[in-house]
Amino acid sequence: ERASGHVCGKEEAWYVLSAEPGATIGAGFTRELSDEELRAAALDGSIEELMVWHPVAPGDFFYVPAGTVHAIGAG
């Protein structure tokens, strides 16, 4: 992102077209993390447990501010 001029990432808007029952989107963390905690969680895979997971359904809209960790969950 930095190479394209986005120092802190970019804003995103997600619109859910379809989703299975129980589908989720992760956006942000449940608590503030130090750089060391974030790196360790990314390396050992526990980062998923630190994210806030939102249930989704068709028609839902999510705004993801620049610099926010985010992921599409199952479904």
Side-chain angles (χ1 to χ4, degrees):
E1 292 301 318
R2 289 182 183 182
S4 62
H6 300 286
V7 177
C8 294
K10 63 186 182 336
E11 295 178 326
E12 294 185 21
W14 292 358
Y15 181 75
V16 180
L17 297 175
S18 65
E20 297 173 4
T24 58
I25 287 178
F29 291 117
T30 58
R31 62 181 179 85
E32 197 166 320
L33 300 170
S34 69
D35 291 347
E36 295 80 22
E37 289 174 310
L38 179 57
R39 178 175 168 72
L43 290 173
D44 70 16
S46 65
I47 194 168
E48 289 183 46
E49 298 165 16
L50 298 170
M51 292 182 69
V52 177
W53 291 95
H54 306 272
V56 298
D60 286 350
F61 175 86
F62 287 86
Y63 167 70
V64 183
T68 303
V69 170
H70 54 285
I72 297 172

